[in-house]
Amino acid sequence: MFKKDSLQVITFQSYGTDTHFYMRGRALEDETINLEQKGLFGLLINSFKRFESDEIKHTELKITLPNGTILKTTTDDHGYFKIDAQLEGLSALTNDDGWLSFEVAYDDVNIKRSIQNSNRFPGELLIPGIKAEYGVISDIDDTIIHTGVVSTLKWKVLINSIFKSATSRIPLEGAADFYHKLHRGSSGKHANPIFYVSHSPWNLYRYLEFFLKQNTFPKGPILLRSFKDIFKKKSGDRPQKHIEIINILKAYPKFKFILIGDSGEHDADIYIEIADEFPTQVTAIYLRSVKHRKKMLRIRALFKNYDQIPVLLVESSDEAIEHAREHSFIA
């Protein structure tokens, strides 16, 4: 008889406010994925494990905050869970960079399975502090990591996601330096929050988290989508990335934001619509140019007479840094 895999909880870095605790995660069997795996066969096995995950359905979990507050939730049909609670004084529980640490544990006495980490799984939630002067919301695909979203039939996306380890993926040149400058802001001493959004499924969360850390990008919430959202999407529905960005802006109504994306897919359309809907909050848009003539012609035409806020079609990170410095976004 096969030995059953031990249980684990993956917490997704999220964000909140002094009175709003919001976090998500997933309860899964441990598939022992090696993010530094090399070799074609090993990468194929890892990719299969990422997408053929064995979720733990309808199980009770508890979340313990540093002050002893306990919150409870139950996983859904796909093992996902979330906590959306109104509390008081959360900012007092954060570190100097605004991160609030907590622990998640299985809370079902009937579980007879082995549980990793002595049933203590760490999580973090970002609460921007008084040192923040603005926020940054950035796409991931072809904005900070080469994915090939403009390739025919998205074949490069498939190859990059399945046949390349997180350690071998190459960030766009100078991107990490640019993001650190934005994180430090106009004085070089701020702690501006960076939010990463993507159309990628949550199955790739640890892969993308590892990539960002490996390439020294500023730490920030990573917001993806579940496969069920992909298949439930109806014609006319807003993309999940669009919804996530609006949720961030609504969470911090007094904050201004810089939006960063690429010119390959729908970022330009999403960002211009959001800027029109939240004109006092969106302060600039940066779009990385892609090697696709028709797409670039469309994007240039879209912004030809747009003068509400600064918009830059970025050819290089140096160009973006120069523009940001001219507008006093960075030191």
Side-chain angles (χ1 to χ4, degrees):
M1 190 170 180
F2 291 108
K3 181 182 177 182
K4 291 186 176 181
D5 293 326
S6 58
L7 305 186
Q8 62 175 336
V9 175
I10 299 172
T11 57
F12 305 140
Q13 287 175 347
S14 189
Y15 60 92
T17 68
D18 184 57
T19 59
H20 187 196
F21 185 94
Y22 179 72
M23 63 82 57
R24 290 181 282 194
R26 200 176 189 194
L28 296 165
E29 290 184 1
D30 177 30
E31 300 290 352
T32 318
I33 295 176
N34 178 9
L35 293 168
E36 300 186 52
Q37 180 73 54
K38 296 178 182 177
L40 181 59
F41 181 73
L43 290 169
L44 279 171
I45 294 296
N46 273 354
S47 297
F48 175 77
K49 288 178 178 179
R50 276 198 294 268
F51 289 96
E52 198 284 313
S53 52
D54 292 316
E55 61 273 4
I56 310 303
K57 308 175 183 179
H58 312 299
T59 191
E60 297 173 6
L61 303 173
K62 70 175 181 179
I63 292 83
T64 305
L65 276 57
N67 62 358
T69 298
I70 293 178
L71 306 169
K72 296 195 176 187
T73 188
T74 303
T75 61
D76 65 13
D77 289 342
H78 301 272
Y80 291 103
F81 66 92
K82 70 177 179 179
I83 292 283
D84 192 346
Q86 297 299 314
L87 301 172
E88 297 292 336
L90 293 174
S91 295
L93 305 177
T94 63
N95 63 17
D96 291 341
D97 293 321
W99 288 95
L100 188 161
S101 298
F102 54 87
E103 285 188 349
V104 182
Y106 285 92
D107 196 35
D108 188 340
V109 295
N110 296 315
I111 291 179
K112 305 301 182 186
R113 303 274 295 278
S114 170
I115 302 176
Q116 287 186 348
N117 292 358
S118 301
N119 197 21
R120 299 175 65 181
F121 299 93
E124 290 182 302
L125 177 148
L126 179 63
I127 300 177
I130 58 174
K131 291 198 298 183
E133 60 177 337
Y134 59 79
V136 177
I137 301 174
S138 173
D139 178 43
I140 296 177
D141 312 314
D142 274 333
T143 301
I144 61 177
I145 181 175
H146 289 283
T147 58
V149 293
V150 297
S151 62
T152 305
L153 299 178
K154 305 293 185 291
W155 65 271
K156 285 186 180 178
V157 177
L158 184 66
I159 288 176
N160 286 330
S161 298
I162 293 178
F163 298 108
K164 287 189 177 182
S165 68
T167 54
S168 67
R169 299 296 295 275
I170 302 172
L172 290 162
E173 186 177 356
D177 180 45
F178 179 43
Y179 282 53
H180 275 289
K181 284 179 165 60
L182 291 171
H183 176 60
R184 295 192 296 268
S186 61
S187 71
K189 298 179 180 179
H190 292 281
N192 298 325
I194 312 286
F195 302 85
Y196 300 98
V197 295
S198 172
H199 283 307
S200 296
W202 286 111
N203 304 65
L204 291 177
Y205 176 83
R206 283 187 294 176
Y207 183 91
L208 294 172
E209 180 187 37
F210 184 86
F211 170 85
L212 293 171
K213 186 175 182 180
Q214 178 85 1
N215 292 285
T216 67
F217 280 86
K219 186 168 72 172
I222 302 171
L223 308 167
L224 309 178
R225 61 175 176 171
S226 64
F227 270 126
K228 63 178 182 179
D229 293 329
I230 297 173
F231 295 116
K232 283 170 57 179
K233 189 176 183 297
K234 299 176 184 177
S235 177
D237 285 352
R238 283 176 164 176
Q240 183 62 30
K241 183 161 69 174
H242 192 149
I243 295 169
E244 292 288 0
I245 294 172
I246 287 177
N247 287 342
I248 295 169
L249 268 61
K250 287 182 175 179
Y252 308 108
K254 296 181 180 179
F255 260 53
K256 291 186 180 298
F257 285 88
I258 294 172
L259 308 183
I260 306 177
D262 68 85
S263 303
E265 289 292 287
H266 306 294
D267 287 351
D269 303 271
I270 291 173
Y271 290 1
I272 201 169
E273 185 176 333
I274 289 173
D276 289 342
E277 188 175 348
F278 298 88
T280 63
Q281 284 189 263
V282 179
T283 192
I285 296 173
Y286 290 95
L287 293 169
R288 281 196 177 269
S289 300
V290 295
K291 294 179 180 179
H292 193 290
R293 182 174 174 275
K294 282 189 176 181
K295 290 182 184 291
M296 290 308 302
L297 285 173
R298 187 185 80 84
I299 299 303
R300 290 192 180 97
L302 184 65
F303 287 105
K304 184 177 182 180
N305 299 312
Y306 190 82
D307 57 4
Q308 283 88 326
I309 58 171
V311 175
L312 182 67
L313 300 184
V314 180
E315 296 292 341
S316 70
S317 293
D318 288 340
E319 186 181 350
I321 288 171
E322 181 181 351
H323 182 275
R325 192 169 282 134
E326 288 175 357
H327 287 79
S328 300
F329 299 141
I330 62 176

